[in-house]
């Protein structure tokens, strides 16, 4: 396979660049980069197809570093290959506002495909990238035009192997027969607590074989470049299974602490740095040294990648001549823009229309928009019949050999794997040709909180269809009734949490979620029927908050979301008849979007001078930003028919009215009542 002294020099350069970055920053993880430098060199200099001059080339091979703490390795590789990472950037490793942060972040650094950090997430992202490639190739490839055929490669370590989310994704990947996915397991037997024999002694290869993976073992990952390349090529030849290479390495190879936990997460000591450099023929006194011979080796491979892209562009040009519609669709998808006029398919409702559960409204919408949005690919965590996430003529994404679907299918059966579903959706979104959504109960989005957080941090467009959104799910009881979930995810930056109250609000939630290119969304949907509201329109709801029921000289504003908005509207009549109080009703289906409106608009919806009461069958945390008083559920729910549960907690017109009267009485003697929004604004200034 032609490995020379130049390759050995390159391996040691990668080891030392990574160690130098950690040493210079006085923080980081040198051990894994020093141990994985040989496989990294083989992959980036002999195997992978990429062009640093165009990091977004569609048919590039994808690389995911799931053990993201080892990112000094990835930054070193990107620098050598010619991506926009300079020696100065390596010197700025882990420093404020650098493009070489402490874990890889896709929106900060060219050449980083996905944001990894929490262990196991990157591996799941890689599964998503592999699914996206299979689907996209089935949709766009034609005879004579093998337009999309890239591989996804993933490095992962013992920590990723121990995380349950990786097991979920590995199981699904084996079922889906993702032959374009090759994972390389850094088997160095060390985690933060030391030798893995204290907690992790399973046979990983046997586990992955049982998942349906092809497996290879390379015993000498420290030196055997030929063996590493041969293993990767054997995996490439297996097209009906994902592949795992178990690579035995020595963490911190070359260090005095090699093979121990001491080199995992701390810089090498100065004396150790010097001895390592001297051992491999480098000047012990110098940091960040790259021999020209190594640059030449990498730039040669990068030039080969650029040439392959040129060939691909020529193929794409011919493809566009013969398959104009498909080429135009592909170009549009890569831009992130939606088809012109797609929004005309959004359902519109009037107050005279029947009451419908918002999960059903979501299903109606998906049935109307899916043909206009061919990039929309959905699924459910084994709750399809409850989430109503599958449109009528949907085809499942499945290996054709199983006879139950096709690679071009747009519906993914995730199984009972909420966390993996979330992380896989992040990978699907990162590929560039797919707009993913996934369904589960709102309560179980909490299972996937790690993936949701990375969606927001990564700035990817994914949509959670989160049904059974409150105590309104009834008989399943407190274990299934989400109380704290909305407060949790509303606190997450760059995450839109929608809780629509009717059909137009549901359409608005999807409109904003689908058109927001860099923000994930959670759409919380009811099991019980909801009435269509007066003054509800898509145009009103896309502002995140608006007045559902207006009144002159109102005594109080009732502010709510979802299924409780209709109850608040009923409370208006009760307040007038029994207490001679006039109430307004405001719906705020999405805090994030409402907060983005102008101060003038927000104060027109929640004006000064009127006391306000929030009503939501959830924790009241967060509502103090909008209302003077809060009525909700700061305890777990109860099991029973949903109407009985609502009555138990007084989430009824009578119960709301009782608290509205108390609010008016409390605030009537307080002069110059100000909206909490206005007070918060003044404090911020």
């Amino acid at each position: 396979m032609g490995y020379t002294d130049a390759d050995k020099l390159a391996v040691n350069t990668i080891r030392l660049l990574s160690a130098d970055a950690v040493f210079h920053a006085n923080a980081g993880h040198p051990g894994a980069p020093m141990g994985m430098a040989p496989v990294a060199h083989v992959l980036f200099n002999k195997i992978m197809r990429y062009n640093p001059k165009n990091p977004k080339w569609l048919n590039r091979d994808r690389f995911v570093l799931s053990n993201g703490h080892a990112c000094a390795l990835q930054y070193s590789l990107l620098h050598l290959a010619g991506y926009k990472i300079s020696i100065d950037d390596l010197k700025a490793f882990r420093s404020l506002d650098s493009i070489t942060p402490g874990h890889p972040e896709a929106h900060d650094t060219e050449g980083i495909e996905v944001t990894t950090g929490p262990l196991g997430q990157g591996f799941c992202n890689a599964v998503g990238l592999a699914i996206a490639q299979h689907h996209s190739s089935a949709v766009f490839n034609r005879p004579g035009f093998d337009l999309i055929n890239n591989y996804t490669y993933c490095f992962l370590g013992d920590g990723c192997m121990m995380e349950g989310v990786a097991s979920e994704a590995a199981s699904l990947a084996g079922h889906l027969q993702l032959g374009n996915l090759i994972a390389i397991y850094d088997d160095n037997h060390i985690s933060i607590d030391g030798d893995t024999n204290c907690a992790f002694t399973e046979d990983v290869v046997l586990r992955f074989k049982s998942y349906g993976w092809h497996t290879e073992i390379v015993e000498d990952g420290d030196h055997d470049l030929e063996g590493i390349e041969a293993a990767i090529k054997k995996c490439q030849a297996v097209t009906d299974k994902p592949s795992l290479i178990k690579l035995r390495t020595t963490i911190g190879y070359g260090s005095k602490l090699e093979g121990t936990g001491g080199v995992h997460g701390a810089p090498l000591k100065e004396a150790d740095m010097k001895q390592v450099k001297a051992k491999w023929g480098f000047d012990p006194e110098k940091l960040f040294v790259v021999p020209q011979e190594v640059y030449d080796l990498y730039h040669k491979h990068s030039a080969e990648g650029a040439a392959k892209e040129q060939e691909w562009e020529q193929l794409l040009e011919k493809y566009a001549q013969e398959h104009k519609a498909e080429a135009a669709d592909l170009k549009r998808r890569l831009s992130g823009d939606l088809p012109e006029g797609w929004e005309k398919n959004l359902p519109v409702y009037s107050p005279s229309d029947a009451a419908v559960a918002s999960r059903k409204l979501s299903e109606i919408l998906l049935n109307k928009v899916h043909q206009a949005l061919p990039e929309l690919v959905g699924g459910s965590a084994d709750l399809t019949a409850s989430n109503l996430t599958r449109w009528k003529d949907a085809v499942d994404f499945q290996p054709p050999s199983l006879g139950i679907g096709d690679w071009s299918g747009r519906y993914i059966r995730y199984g009972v794997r909420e966390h993996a579903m979330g992380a896989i959706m992040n990978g699907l979104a990162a590929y560039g040709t797919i707009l993913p959504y996934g369904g589960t109960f709102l309560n179980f989005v909490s299972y996937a909180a790690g993936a949701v957080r990375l969606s927001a941090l990564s700035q990817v467009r994914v949509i959670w269809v989160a049904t059974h959104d409150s105590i309104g799910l009834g008989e399943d009881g407190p274990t299934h009734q989400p109380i704290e979930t909305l407060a949790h995810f509303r606190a997450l930056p760059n995450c839109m949490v929608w809780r629509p109250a009717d059909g137009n609000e549901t359409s608005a939630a999807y409109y904003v979620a689908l058109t927001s290119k860099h923000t994930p969304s959670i759409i919380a949907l009811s099991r019980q029927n909801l009435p269509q509201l007066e003054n509800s329109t898509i145009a009103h709801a896309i502002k995140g908050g608006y007045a559902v029921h207006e009144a002159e000289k109102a005594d109080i504003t009732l502010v709510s979301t979802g299924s409780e908005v209709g109850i608040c509207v009923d409370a208006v009549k009760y307040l007038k008849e029994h207490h001679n109080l006039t109430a307004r009703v405001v719906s705020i289906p999405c805090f994030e979007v409402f907060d983005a409106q102008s101060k003038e608009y927000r104060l027109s919806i929640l004006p000064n001078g009127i006391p306000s009461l929030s009503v939501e069958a959830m924790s009241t945390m967060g509502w103090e930003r909008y209302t003077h008083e809060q009525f909700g559920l700061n305890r777990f729910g109860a099991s029973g028919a949903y109407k009985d549960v609502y009555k138990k907690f007084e989430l009824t017109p009578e119960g709301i009215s009782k608290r509205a009267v108390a609010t008016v009485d409390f605030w009537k003697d307080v002069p110059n009542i100000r909206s909490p929004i206005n007070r918060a604004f003044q404090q911020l200034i």
Side-chain angles (χ1 to χ4, degrees):
M1 297 178 188
Y3 286 94
T4 66
D5 288 341
D7 293 294
K8 296 177 183 178
L9 179 63
V11 169
N12 289 333
T13 299
I14 295 165
R15 284 171 168 149
L16 292 176
L17 269 183
S18 303
D20 284 344
V22 175
F23 179 79
H24 189 263
N26 195 31
H29 300 75
M34 295 176 76
M36 297 196 79
V39 66
H41 172 66
V42 171
L43 193 62
F44 271 75
N45 197 254
K46 301 293 184 181
I47 302 291
M48 279 183 60
R49 176 177 56 195
Y50 56 84
N51 178 15
K53 303 300 181 187
N54 182 14
K56 295 300 183 182
W57 170 34
L58 173 60
N59 205 36
R60 67 192 181 277
D61 289 331
R62 295 340 193 247
F63 173 75
V64 177
L65 185 70
S66 189
N67 47 341
H69 56 271
C71 58
L73 171 67
Q74 191 169 12
Y75 299 147
S76 297
L77 292 164
L78 294 175
H79 168 71
L80 294 178
Y83 287 85
K84 290 181 180 178
I85 294 185
S86 66
I87 286 290
D88 285 340
D89 292 321
L90 295 180
K91 291 178 179 178
F93 177 55
R94 287 188 162 224
S95 65
L96 190 63
D97 296 327
S98 76
I99 62 168
T100 49
H103 286 81
E105 296 187 36
H107 58 281
D108 279 351
T109 313
E110 283 192 1
I112 303 295
E113 300 289 353
V114 290
T115 298
T116 61
L119 295 176
Q121 292 287 329
F123 176 79
C124 302
N125 298 161
V127 173
L129 288 164
I131 291 173
Q133 187 277 324
H134 266 296
H135 175 76
S136 299
S137 65
V139 170
F140 291 105
N141 289 1
R142 295 291 184 273
F145 294 99
D146 199 13
L147 201 63
I148 301 173
N149 59 11
N150 68 281
Y151 285 92
T152 296
Y153 300 94
C154 177
F155 285 178
L156 70 159
D158 288 305
C160 296
M161 282 294 184
M162 286 187 252
E163 288 286 1
V165 67
S167 297
E168 292 179 28
S171 174
L172 182 60
H175 164 77
L176 292 176
Q177 303 175 17
L178 302 177
N180 58 351
L181 173 62
I182 299 175
I184 300 172
Y185 164 41
D186 179 24
D187 179 29
N188 62 33
H189 286 199
I190 295 294
S191 62
I192 290 176
D193 276 2
D195 195 304
T196 54
N197 63 14
C198 70
F200 187 58
T201 52
E202 69 184 47
D203 188 330
V204 167
V205 169
L206 197 60
R207 168 156 62 107
F208 272 69
K209 282 183 177 178
S210 75
Y211 288 150
W213 286 58
H214 170 77
T215 61
E216 295 284 338
I217 299 174
V218 178
E219 292 291 352
D220 183 9
D222 297 330
H223 307 96
D224 189 6
L225 303 183
E226 290 85 357
I228 292 169
E229 183 177 351
I232 294 173
K233 289 186 174 177
K234 286 179 183 177
C235 293
Q236 288 179 330
V238 178
T239 59
D240 62 346
K241 294 180 180 180
S243 293
L244 176 78
I245 299 172
K246 177 182 173 181
L247 183 71
R248 188 75 175 92
T249 70
T250 302
I251 190 170
Y253 181 82
S255 163
K256 291 179 180 180
L257 297 174
E258 69 175 31
T260 72
V263 76
H264 168 77
L268 272 60
K269 301 298 184 184
E270 185 174 1
D272 201 1
M273 286 289 298
K274 289 182 177 180
Q275 72 84 22
V276 171
K277 290 175 183 288
K279 181 188 300 184
W280 292 329
F282 285 71
D283 188 335
E285 303 299 328
K286 293 183 179 180
L287 299 177
F288 301 103
V289 173
V290 180
Q292 187 59 46
E293 190 175 357
V294 175
Y295 277 132
D296 292 343
L297 198 63
Y298 271 80
H299 292 171
K300 179 176 181 292
H301 186 73
S302 295
E304 292 169 353
K308 288 176 181 177
E309 186 192 357
Q310 285 298 314
E311 293 175 8
W312 184 85
E313 291 288 352
Q314 293 171 8
L315 181 67
L316 179 62
E317 187 175 337
K318 293 179 181 177
Y319 176 87
Q321 293 172 1
E322 296 190 26
H323 305 283
K324 293 181 180 179
E326 290 84 354
D329 184 34
L330 179 60
K331 181 179 179 180
R332 179 193 59 76
R333 291 193 194 195
L334 293 173
S335 74
D337 295 330
L338 302 181
E340 186 175 350
W342 74 273
E343 69 280 1
K344 295 175 183 177
N345 295 279
L346 291 171
V348 177
Y349 298 87
S350 66
S352 61
D353 290 326
V356 182
S358 55
R359 64 168 175 165
K360 183 65 177 179
L361 294 166
S362 169
E363 181 189 42
I364 292 168
L365 183 147
L366 291 171
N367 270 289
K368 287 182 175 294
V369 305
H370 76 272
Q371 288 185 336
L373 297 173
E375 62 266 53
L376 194 63
V377 174
S380 172
D382 199 54
L383 286 167
T384 297
S386 293
N387 299 147
L388 306 182
T389 39
R390 191 174 190 269
W391 57 81
K392 291 178 182 178
D393 57 350
V395 175
D396 284 1
F397 175 86
Q398 297 280 359
S401 62
L402 296 180
I404 55 175
D406 189 82
W407 291 129
S408 64
R410 293 167 57 190
Y411 195 76
I412 301 173
R413 305 284 186 169
Y414 284 102
V416 189
R417 303 182 180 101
E418 293 91 349
H419 198 179
M421 177 174 73
I424 287 169
M425 285 198 293
N426 290 342
L428 290 172
Y431 192 80
T433 57
I434 286 175
L435 202 168
Y437 72 88
T440 187
F441 287 5
L442 176 61
N443 195 50
F444 302 135
V445 180
S446 295
Y447 269 8
V452 176
R453 188 174 188 276
L454 283 178
S455 300
L457 180 62
S458 304
Q459 302 176 16
V460 294
R461 177 170 46 180
V462 303
I463 300 172
W464 285 85
V465 180
T467 69
H468 296 64
D469 71 334
S470 72
I471 58 172
L473 67 86
E475 291 85 350
D476 277 334
T479 62
H480 283 52
Q481 293 167 359
I483 301 304
E484 79 295 343
T485 312
L486 292 185
H488 173 188
F489 290 115
R490 283 169 177 162
L492 187 63
N494 192 43
C495 179
M496 293 187 293
V497 180
W498 289 88
R499 190 168 182 245
D502 72 350
N504 290 327
E505 288 194 13
T506 302
S507 290
Y510 271 100
Y511 175 83
V512 179
L514 290 165
T515 55
S516 298
K517 295 182 181 181
H518 306 294
T519 305
S521 301
I522 299 170
I523 304 179
L525 302 165
S526 74
R527 181 192 185 203
Q528 71 271 35
N529 291 338
L530 307 180
Q532 311 303 331
L533 302 169
E534 61 173 298
N535 204 37
S536 167
T537 67
I538 295 174
H540 287 158
I542 61 174
K543 294 182 178 180
Y546 67 103
V548 170
H549 175 79
E550 199 53 273
E552 293 185 11
K553 297 181 180 180
D555 298 297
I556 189 168
T557 299
L558 303 177
V559 190
S560 190
T561 72
S563 47
E564 288 76 70
V565 176
I567 305 175
C568 286
V569 171
D570 291 340
V572 170
K573 184 178 179 180
Y574 189 93
L575 278 166
K576 193 65 176 176
E577 290 181 353
H578 292 81
H579 301 283
N580 197 31
L581 291 178
T582 301
R584 304 170 64 245
V585 178
V586 165
S587 175
I588 305 185
C590 184
F591 287 16
E592 181 97 355
V593 173
F594 185 61
D595 288 348
Q597 306 305 314
S598 68
K599 178 191 173 189
E600 290 73 21
Y601 177 76
R602 286 179 289 141
L603 286 174
S604 74
I605 303 303
L606 298 175
N608 289 328
I610 305 175
S612 53
L613 171 71
S614 64
V615 180
E616 189 174 55
M618 308 275 177
S619 164
T620 59
M621 183 177 293
W623 276 106
E624 63 277 357
R625 72 210 284 184
Y626 299 129
T627 62
H628 299 94
E629 301 292 339
Q630 297 81 42
F631 175 34
L633 208 61
N634 293 315
R635 53 148 289 174
F636 291 111
S639 177
Y642 90 86
K643 289 183 179 179
D644 292 339
V645 177
Y646 268 79
K647 186 175 181 179
K648 173 182 174 64
F649 296 115
E650 298 188 350
L651 285 158
T652 60
E654 296 83 358
I656 293 169
S657 296
K658 180 170 73 174
R659 287 155 180 86
V661 170
T663 300
V664 172
D665 287 344
F666 181 82
W667 287 94
K668 67 182 179 182
D669 295 325
V670 179
N672 301 319
I673 296 173
R674 280 190 174 183
S675 163
I677 290 175
N678 196 34
R679 295 204 307 271
F681 183 83
Q682 296 297 331
Q683 291 166 7
L684 182 64
I685 292 298

